[in-house]
Amino acid sequence: MIATHWPYGIAAWLFIVGLYGIVTSRNYVHLIMCIAVLQSSTYVLLVTIGYRSGATSPIYANISPDTPAVDPIVQALMLTDIVVEAVVMALLLALAMQIHQRAGSLDPDKIRFLRW
């Protein structure tokens, strides 16, 4: 039973490492990469939730309907998660490039126009 809890632990570890990187980051590109690490913890969590030992893909073309299958909703959520993350990462990296062009730095402490 301990082996079945490993993916949850890995997801929690990825979340904590990403969150620590976000809190301690002094560079916007580093911050964006830490957000990606944090987001990847959701991939591991969704794969873990949707996985069923001995199950097949949810395509019932040539198999019995009693055959166990993995949850297709979790797979769809994970694909949506990947697409959303790709879009958010592209937007954040574009914003980081604009900040670097305007301020000449990616350090939040050195950028005056972003201060309150």
Side-chain angles (χ1 to χ4, degrees), residues 56-99:
T56 63
S57 61
I59 301 171
Y60 293 102
N62 295 325
I63 60 174
S64 168
D66 297 334
T67 305
V70 295
D71 190 1
I73 293 175
V74 176
Q75 293 175 358
L77 283 174
M78 194 172 93
L79 286 175
T80 304
D81 194 16
I82 290 170
V83 171
V84 168
E85 183 190 7
V87 170
V88 169
M89 289 298 116
L91 178 66
L92 290 176
L93 287 172
L95 287 173
M97 286 178 54
Q98 286 293 318
I99 289 171

Side-chain angles (χ1 to χ4, degrees), residues 33-67:
M33 293 301 115
C34 290
I35 291 172
V37 169
L38 188 134
Q39 179 91 23
S40 65
S41 70
T42 61
Y43 303 155
V44 176
L45 185 65
L46 288 173
V47 167
T48 304
I49 291 171
Y51 179 75
R52 289 181 60 190
S53 181
T56 63
S57 61
I59 301 171
Y60 293 102
N62 295 325
I63 60 174
S64 168
D66 297 334
T67 305

Side-chain angles (χ1 to χ4, degrees), residues 8-39:
Y8 294 106
I10 292 171
W13 180 78
L14 282 172
F15 184 84
I16 291 169
V17 167
L19 189 62
Y20 176 77
I22 289 170
V23 170
T24 62
S25 180
R26 298 286 58 165
N27 185 307
Y28 283 122
V29 174
H30 180 262
L31 177 90
I32 294 167
M33 293 301 115
C34 290
I35 291 172
V37 169
L38 188 134
Q39 179 91 23

